[in-house]
Amino acid sequence: MKWRNVVIAALILLPIIGLLAFGFGRDPHAVPFALRDKPAPDFTLHTLSGGTMKLSEMRGKPVVINFWASWCEPCKYEHDMLQQASSYYGETVQFIGIVYQDTEEAVRGYLQKHASVYPHLLDPTTSVAIDYGISGVPETYLVDKDGVVREKSPGVISGKELRRWLDNRLGGS
Amino acid sequence: MSFLVALLLVAADPVSAEAEAHAIGQRLRCPVCQGMPISESPSEMAQAMMGKVREMQAEGKSREQIIDYFTQRYGDWVLLDPRKEGVLIFLWALPPVALLVGLIVLRRYTKRQAPAKATRVAAVAADPYLDAVRREVEQ
């Protein structure tokens, strides 16, 4: 009889403990990577130099999309690393920056002080950021040569992680 | 025909459209806030998402299509009330099931306690020593 009670209590408590462990083991603010292995939402945006860029026209090589803003302090930590990575991979990888909720004037001012080797696009209505499920900046995505979203890094991306992403893609292509 | 006219009038009514946008916004979590719906958050991100809701409404998209657009990008995380389907139905079923199990356990416990209490009372009543003490006290 006692054993039966123990078994019943275990059957009730174990799923609850499991559920709590699952819930407390997750960051409730972490936005899931819903676009993984899905076609990258296409966009056509204006560059700071006055031209336009269309994502689907960059097919054939991996594209690193970095959402950033001049008011974003953590974005400054990764800026130099992204420039170096873009120079290192050269023509084999396309790097682009998409400006998130910022003014063109502030972005120009920032880029005058911090040189950039790749184009930066303006997203004045935040529609591209929403298309990618952005929950803040910085946030970086990797779109493969076929236009499929493969990686996402919420927050500051490390050089090591970016290298792993790109070496995996370039090695497999 | 009159139904179609009524439908067109409702579609063209900006108050109804805004009420519908607000209702959709109430179901969507602002990604840069603390569990706040996009319709109530003053953040630029939430306002941009509300703008997207209105834009899709103007394109003739249904409420479900708009909700699907956001869940395809943010996952079910963006829903302030989880969908009542698939694995998520477990979340809705858990509280009533837990309450039911609790009631069953409580009922079984009280049922088991009642005969034990009755037996104890009967045993006390049948004790000759206690009976003698009771008679002494009553005299």
Side-chain angles (χ1 to χ4, degrees):
Chain A
M1 193 64 175
K2 265 188 172 179
W3 277 109
R4 208 184 74 166
N5 288 347
V6 169
V7 170
I8 291 170
L11 284 175
I12 294 169
L13 288 174
L14 282 177
I16 295 171
I17 291 168
L19 203 66
L20 288 173
F22 177 72
F24 285 120
R26 287 158 58 101
D27 176 3
H29 301 297
V31 177
F33 182 15
L35 281 179
R36 183 190 290 278
D37 300 332
K38 304 260 171 64
D42 198 15
F43 55 79
T44 304
L45 291 174
H46 286 285
T47 65
L48 281 174
S49 53
T52 56
M53 281 187 91
K54 188 175 169 68
L55 179 70
S56 54
E57 287 174 359
M58 298 174 211
R59 293 268 165 84
K61 58 181 168 185
V63 181
V64 174
I65 305 174
N66 175 244
F67 288 87
W68 71 285
S70 67
W71 47 259
C72 156
E73 283 301 316
C75 300
K76 293 172 185 165
Y77 302 137
E78 62 181 18
H79 180 86
D80 289 342
M81 185 278 292
L82 289 168
Q83 306 312 311
Q84 286 166 15
S86 177
S87 300
Y88 175 79
Y89 287 101
E91 290 297 307
T92 57
V93 179
Q94 176 68 57
F95 281 71
I96 51 174
I98 295 184
V99 178
Y100 171 85
Q101 294 183 345
D102 205 347
T103 64
E104 188 175 339
E105 189 187 356
V107 172
R108 283 187 191 283
Y110 179 87
L111 292 175
Q112 271 174 5
K113 288 181 195 159
H114 307 85
S116 181
V117 294
Y118 55 81
H120 294 274
L121 315 178
L122 300 166
D123 180 21
T125 59
T126 319
S127 58
V128 175
I130 295 171
D131 265 350
Y132 278 80
I134 296 293
S135 58
V137 281
E139 213 162 272
T140 307
Y141 286 82
L142 175 71
V143 176
D144 74 6
K145 63 184 174 61
D146 301 313
V148 176
V149 181
R150 296 299 185 187
E151 305 280 0
K152 170 189 172 181
S153 168
V156 177
I157 186 169
S158 68
K160 195 176 168 186
E161 188 175 11
L162 185 62
R163 185 166 189 160
R164 181 182 61 78
W165 285 6
L166 293 172
D167 289 352
N168 279 348
R169 288 292 136 201
L170 295 171
S173 61
Chain B
M1 184 64 184
S2 58
F3 173 74
L4 193 67
V5 171
L7 203 68
L8 286 170
L9 282 173
V10 168
D13 182 358
V15 178
S16 302
E18 189 49 38
E20 173 65 4
H22 184 80
I24 294 169
Q26 283 291 104
R27 291 183 62 188
L28 298 171
R29 185 198 300 256
C30 164
V32 296
C33 318
Q34 300 284 332
M36 197 182 252
I38 60 168
S39 57
E40 287 176 17
S41 167
S43 76
E44 282 186 48
M45 187 66 186
Q47 294 306 307
M49 288 170 82
M50 279 304 293
K52 185 73 189 178
V53 169
R54 293 187 188 99
E55 183 189 318
M56 292 181 77
Q57 268 187 310
E59 288 168 3
K61 300 273 169 43
S62 69
R63 181 186 286 213
E64 284 314 307
Q65 284 174 314
I66 296 170
I67 301 272
D68 281 350
Y69 165 83
F70 285 99
T71 53
Q72 279 163 16
R73 277 138 185 93
Y74 291 94
D76 284 334
W77 176 92
V78 80
L79 300 175
L80 282 167
D81 51 340
R83 289 181 199 269
K84 297 176 188 74
E85 61 187 37
V87 182
L88 292 174
I89 205 153
F90 180 68
L91 290 176
W92 289 92
L94 190 63
V97 168
L99 186 70
L100 195 69
V101 169
L103 286 173
I104 291 168
V105 169
L106 190 70
R107 190 174 157 74
R108 285 186 65 167
Y109 178 76
T110 50
K111 256 188 169 179
R112 200 176 297 162
Q113 290 294 311
K117 195 178 174 185
T119 311
R120 273 202 305 276
V121 170
V124 167
D127 189 329
Y129 174 74
L130 287 176
D131 201 35
V133 169
R134 198 178 294 117
R135 277 202 304 274
E136 283 289 318
V137 171
E138 282 171 359
Q139 273 176 7

